[in-house]
Amino acid sequence: MSTPSRKIFVTNALPYANGDIHLGHLVGYVQADIWVRFQRMLGNEVHYVCADDTHGAPVMLRAEKEGISPEALVERVRGEHLRDFTDFGVAFDNYHSTHSPENRAYAEDIYKKLRAAGMIETRAIEQYYDPVKQMFLADRFIKGECPKCAAKDQYGDSCEVCGAAYAPTELKNPYSAVSGATPELRSSEHYFFRLSDPKAVEFLREWTRATNADGSRRMPPEASNKMREWLGEAGENKLSDWDISRDAPYFGFEIPDAPGKYFYVWLDAPIGYLASFKNYADRVGFDVADYIDPVKAAAAGTEMVHFIGKDILYFHALFWPAMLKFADYRTPNFLNVNGFLTVDGAKMSKSRGTFITARSYLEQKLNPEWLRYYYAAKLNSNIEDLDLSLDDFVAKVNSDLVGKFVNIASRCAGFISKRFDGKLAASDAAALAPFVAEETIATLTKAFNDRDYSSALREVMRLADVANVYVNDEKPWELAKDPAQLERLHRACSTALNQFRALTILLKPVLPALAAQVEAFFGVTPFVWRDLAAPLAVGHCINPYAHLMTRIERKQIDALIEANKETLVTEVKTAEPAQKHAQHQAHAAQTEAAQADEFEPFISIDDFGKVDLRIAKIVAAEHVEGAAKLIKLLLDIGEVVDGQPKPRQVFAGIKSAYDPALLVGRLTVMVANLAPRKMKFGMSEGMVLAASDDKGEVPGLFILSPDSGAQPGMRVK
RNA sequence: GGUGAUGUAGCUCAGAUGGUUAGAGCGAUGGAUUCAUAACCCAUAGGUCGGCGGUUCGACUCCGCCCAUCACCA
């Protein structure tokens, strides 16, 4: 190979040590693993590491709940995560932990260098404090009524009902989600990374736009667009300083010279890449400076590549490079960003059983390489969500892998074994040509290198079709009947097996276990990319063929879904607040599950009394132009202004279930003292009560009706 | 509300810088075959390329507006 070999340090986003690996996580890990395996087959030197992200309040609280130390918890979870990755063929060189001496050393070093560079500043901030639990509360641990729409039990950062964003101090009737106590405001000294410093802003503006020395991009175009949005135009300063400290009690690293102050989990999480790498290098025996010192790395020509999910782009494209830059470390060469996973076009859902854990997939005896292939067949370098369409999954794997690919060996190997003592003849050069054509190999090499796996696999499957047509044209089963055609039979089957061998080499980054079986079948050393250039030697002896892969049956998938269905969420919602980490979609899935499955906590009769429910008569109902879900209602609740009846105007989201014409004249129940809310189409002065199944299993929407005799304006209680 | 992405055959997706009859795989239908853990091969049917308008000799491809879905932000 003429090009000098690359030296690449590759990382995957660190999964958080609180929760199982699921099929959504695996998209990014499979994507990175395929890339790493491909680079190695090319002869490049790759160091591929990951770790568990262990710090923060959620881990601390979960450990407390389980009655074990946080250290014990994170060590156990780390083992589970590593086992899941390993079983899916994701082969890290090292799987470390952010709760490690190496990570502490790097975190302190980076912090001290940032401080020396004038990038750290302290200031007091007011924050809610839980007097029972004796801890400061993160936004997600404070709940209360939304200041905008008065919805109950909303988190401290935003309202899930009206979408409003606010500070936790703006919540009405706040309470601690940890203890239930009413929090009190207390002042505390916090440490900030001065991201708003013009130096940092200037650096990031340049860094996110520029390319590497070789002209390659640092991130996908969609990501740099997003950066431009976050950074604003030159002169604008849209970045604010980043709060990197948390008060005790906190599971993490204490900040040097600042007793009782800890590094925020997100400060030391990406540093965990370096820590895992260092831990590995020390074990193997090489110097990490060639990869992480800016001068030495440039001299050695090493690369650093991160694979992350789109939910954590902000941290990796802004905080992380800025931290590294101002602490005098090398910055990343490339951020690969993957989208979320949807299942049958919808968000993963615990109640629907599509929140599928890696472990349950394996327990159902599903082949991990089926999933690796399916993901690869749909992955490209864009930040697009990937849909796991279950029917498509079954069809694609069965058709491509079993019907086309494995079938080639299956239909030819027997002839070679039985008729020719397992020895191969010379191949038909013309038939093998498409598989070894320089142009084809160059195209496929580029596609894999650019992480455009979907187009690579399309090409591989096209070649598999070519091989099947070749066998069909040669008709070995007919040749076998004619002793005069023995030589031709030998050549045809040898050719097809060499075609199959080429396909296996091309698929090996995606299907390493299957490739290993094929290597054993051929009795050869592990395939590398340059093996594509030459077929197996004449006289090479193959082993008896054993079937390489079975088909998926739809009922196996159904069993998997069934196994992942949760009819009741046993964990208390607040015990595991969503934390945006490498836990793709954990948040959405959790709130979805919680909404669907949980009853609200008890309230007092006084609380209930605050809700003014009234019998209302629908005096008018009409569609709202431009609104997909709304019907505009005029509701008579007996109110009179200046001697005239004054009905309330209410926008109700019931268009999908009711025809306005049929609503007029009906009696129903409305909340009369809901704060009026301005909507795009006008003021809404109340709310009509309707029932629906939050889980979405039972369709429909049902407004309430009183028994006959009730009059508009009557109080409901 | 703002920003961005997406919307192409029943399904999952391709379609550089605009150019003759819009592609693949799966599925469907018909045929052929039996070497292959019903796999493979051949053929056929299926799309006004989300909608409306514009630029152009010509647009799936460029521009504007609208609709839907998704994400991020305030």
Side-chain angles (χ1 to χ4, degrees):
Chain A
M1 206 150 285
S2 59
T3 46
S5 104
R6 293 164 70 179
K7 295 180 192 324
I8 319 172
F9 168 31
V10 179
T11 73
N12 257 131
L14 313 186
Y16 195 55
N18 176 22
D20 297 328
I21 301 301
H22 54 66
L23 264 38
H25 288 104
L26 286 172
V27 175
Y29 295 91
V30 166
Q31 185 180 38
D33 183 74
I34 290 171
W35 197 72
V36 167
R37 288 176 187 274
F38 164 73
Q39 295 297 342
R40 285 186 174 145
M41 284 181 76
L42 277 183
N44 293 324
E45 184 180 330
V46 186
H47 306 291
Y48 180 34
V49 306
C50 192
D52 254 26
D53 176 19
T54 58
H55 291 150
V59 162
M60 184 176 74
L61 293 169
R62 176 166 165 194
E64 189 180 295
K65 200 174 118 211
E66 293 193 17
I68 57 177
S69 69
E71 288 82 359
L73 173 68
V74 302
E75 204 37 45
R76 187 190 78 212
V77 172
R78 193 184 78 88
E80 292 167 1
H81 287 179
L82 176 56
R83 192 182 53 154
D84 287 345
F85 289 134
T86 304
D87 289 347
F88 272 88
V90 177
F92 299 116
D93 290 314
N94 199 40
Y95 196 80
H96 205 43
S97 166
T98 59
H99 194 63
S100 62
E102 295 91 347
N103 204 41
R104 182 190 295 273
Y106 278 122
E108 290 184 355
D109 185 57
I110 286 173
Y111 168 75
K112 284 177 182 165
K113 285 177 176 160
L114 291 177
R115 194 173 59 181
M119 297 302 285
I120 301 290
E121 115 183 352
T122 63
R123 51 180 183 262
I125 61 166
E126 294 256 293
Q127 221 186 340
Y128 271 130
Y129 181 85
D130 183 330
V132 174
K133 201 73 188 158
Q134 301 197 351
M135 62 184 280
F136 282 96
L137 295 166
D139 294 356
R140 301 294 296 184
F141 287 114
I142 302 158
K143 299 181 84 177
E145 291 168 31
C146 170
K148 297 246 168 67
C149 75
K152 292 225 174 196
D153 300 313
Q154 295 307 308
Y155 288 109
D157 52 358
S158 66
C159 173
E160 284 170 341
V161 176
C162 74
Y166 40 76
T169 48
E170 295 176 59
L171 280 176
K172 287 186 262 179
N173 301 320
Y175 65 90
S176 163
V178 182
S179 71
T182 303
E184 42 194 68
L185 271 180
R186 286 201 188 176
S187 176
S188 169
E189 190 86 348
H190 273 239
Y191 290 67
F192 288 83
F193 176 41
R194 300 185 51 235
L195 205 64
S196 67
D197 188 299
K199 272 193 303 189
V201 176
E202 234 3 84
F203 162 72
L204 286 170
R205 209 185 296 284
E206 189 277 331
W207 189 82
T208 54
R209 283 182 190 179
T211 54
N212 294 305
D214 65 354
S216 58
R217 327 182 44 99
R218 292 201 167 121
M219 59 186 81
E222 301 106 298
S224 19
N225 285 345
K226 207 85 187 151
M227 290 302 112
R228 203 165 311 147
E229 212 181 294
W230 285 335
L231 285 161
E233 293 308 314
E236 270 185 282
N237 191 349
K238 299 175 88 171
L239 297 181
S240 29
D241 292 340
W242 183 35
D243 186 349
I244 56 163
S245 70
R246 293 295 184 270
D247 288 289
Y250 194 77
F251 181 54
F253 294 137
E254 205 164 33
I255 299 178
D257 313 319
K261 304 290 178 187
Y262 288 79
F263 287 127
Y264 173 43
V265 52
W266 257 112
L267 180 101
D268 71 57
I271 294 173
Y273 298 145
L274 306 181
S276 183
F277 187 48
K278 167 81 170 143
N279 174 269
Y280 163 70
D282 287 350
R283 214 177 59 221
V284 174
F286 68 91
D287 186 3
V288 294
D290 285 341
Y291 287 86
I292 67 176
D293 177 86
V295 176
K296 287 185 177 172
T302 58
E303 301 169 56
M304 180 160 83
V305 174
H306 301 305
F307 282 78
I308 62 170
K310 67 180 182 181
D311 54 334
I312 53 176
L313 179 63
Y314 201 90
F315 293 93
H316 284 80
L318 292 178
F319 300 155
W320 178 232
M323 279 164 67
L324 291 170
K325 166 70 180 174
F326 293 104
D328 200 28
Y329 281 73
R330 78 95 52 84
T331 51
N333 292 82
F334 190 74
L335 294 175
N336 183 81
V337 187
N338 68 268
F340 292 150
L341 180 75
T342 54
V343 179
D344 280 340
K347 274 183 191 162
M348 299 192 300
S349 145
K350 285 190 175 173
S351 55
R352 277 195 297 273
T354 54
F355 195 96
I356 301 167
T357 62
R359 192 45 45 191
S360 71
Y361 180 99
L362 297 163
E363 282 168 354
Q364 293 296 318
K365 301 279 186 278
L366 294 162
N367 185 338
E369 300 214 326
W370 291 339
L371 191 71
R372 288 177 65 103
Y373 178 77
Y374 188 75
Y375 281 177
K378 296 186 88 168
L379 273 169
N380 55 35
S381 56
N382 299 335
I383 313 180
E384 282 170 2
D385 289 356
L386 189 156
D387 185 42
L388 169 59
S389 163
L390 297 171
D391 283 331
D392 188 48
F393 175 57
V394 172
K396 192 161 200 66
V397 168
N398 287 344
S399 163
D400 287 3
L401 255 26
V402 184
K404 290 181 179 176
F405 169 61
V406 162
N407 189 230
I408 300 164
S410 176
R411 62 196 305 203
C412 294
F415 292 112
I416 296 289
S417 296
K418 287 175 201 147
R419 311 291 282 262
F420 307 104
D421 220 13
K423 289 194 170 57
L424 293 177
S427 285
D428 178 341
L432 207 51
F435 296 78
V436 297
E438 259 180 56
E439 197 186 330
T440 306
I441 295 176
T443 304
L444 281 162
T445 303
K446 180 168 168 27
F448 272 111
N449 191 53
D450 292 347
R451 295 159 228 86
D452 193 1
Y453 307 150
S454 61
S455 77
L457 293 188
R458 265 198 308 280
E459 177 64 11
V460 172
M461 281 308 133
R462 191 190 63 78
L463 290 171
D465 285 343
V466 170
N468 274 308
V469 171
Y470 171 77
V471 175
N472 233 68
D473 290 349
E474 288 296 306
K475 300 184 175 38
W477 57 95
E478 284 183 12
L479 300 175
K481 290 171 189 159
D482 180 358
Q485 298 279 17
L486 209 60
E487 198 181 316
R488 182 154 179 199
L489 172 67
H490 199 183
R491 189 183 59 190
C493 290
S494 299
T495 304
L497 285 179
N498 269 306
Q499 291 172 329
F500 173 70
R501 171 179 169 274
L503 293 171
T504 306
I505 296 169
L506 296 169
L507 287 169
K508 185 176 172 180
V510 181
L511 308 172
L514 186 67
Q517 286 177 259
V518 176
E519 285 155 1
F521 162 61
F522 280 122
V524 295
T525 53
F527 290 129
V528 294
W529 215 247
R530 64 170 176 276
D531 288 334
L532 286 166
L536 288 171
V538 175
H540 181 93
C541 195
I542 63 168
N543 291 308
Y545 175 81
H547 199 57
L548 293 165
M549 186 176 267
T550 55
R551 301 167 64 82
I552 318 180
E553 289 181 53
R554 175 67 214 206
K555 66 181 183 202
Q556 292 175 274
I557 302 297
D558 294 336
L560 177 66
I561 300 297
E562 204 49 46
N564 279 278
K565 263 188 193 161
E566 282 186 23
T567 48
L568 214 72
V569 171
T570 48
E571 299 220 58
V572 181
K573 190 174 174 183
T574 51
E576 236 185 297
Q579 174 155 355
K580 286 189 177 178
H581 264 88
Q583 303 210 103
H584 306 177
Q585 297 155 303
H587 175 191
Q590 239 165 325
T591 44
E592 184 264 354
Q595 280 167 356
D597 301 329
E598 279 186 25
F599 287 97
E600 298 295 337
F602 287 120
I603 59 168
S604 69
I605 184 82
D606 294 337
D607 282 340
F608 177 71
K610 291 176 190 166
V611 184
D612 189 353
L613 298 173
R614 301 282 176 159
I615 299 295
K617 181 174 183 182
I618 301 174
V619 293
E622 58 186 64
H623 285 301
V624 181
E625 184 136 2
K629 297 172 182 165
L630 299 179
I631 290 181
K632 182 168 122 179
L633 301 173
L634 289 181
L635 299 168
D636 173 14
I637 52 171
E639 285 179 309
V640 176
V641 174
D642 297 334
Q644 293 292 315
K646 175 73 174 69
R648 297 278 192 100
Q649 172 174 292
V650 169
F651 290 94
I654 56 174
K655 182 174 174 178
S656 61
Y658 289 96
D659 176 356
L662 300 175
L663 286 169
V664 177
R666 273 187 68 163
L667 292 177
T668 185
V669 179
M670 80 171 284
V671 185
N673 65 336
L674 197 60
R677 182 174 159 211
K678 189 167 182 298
M679 301 184 69
K680 193 174 164 188
F681 313 100
M683 290 298 283
S684 189
E685 306 166 310
M687 187 171 94
V688 171
L689 300 186
S692 65
D693 177 21
D694 285 342
K695 284 178 243 177
E697 285 167 1
V698 182
L701 198 61
F702 310 92
I703 66 170
L704 302 189
S705 302
D707 270 354
S708 58
Q711 293 299 313
M714 280 181 174
R715 181 95 195 248
V716 179
K717 51 187 179 180

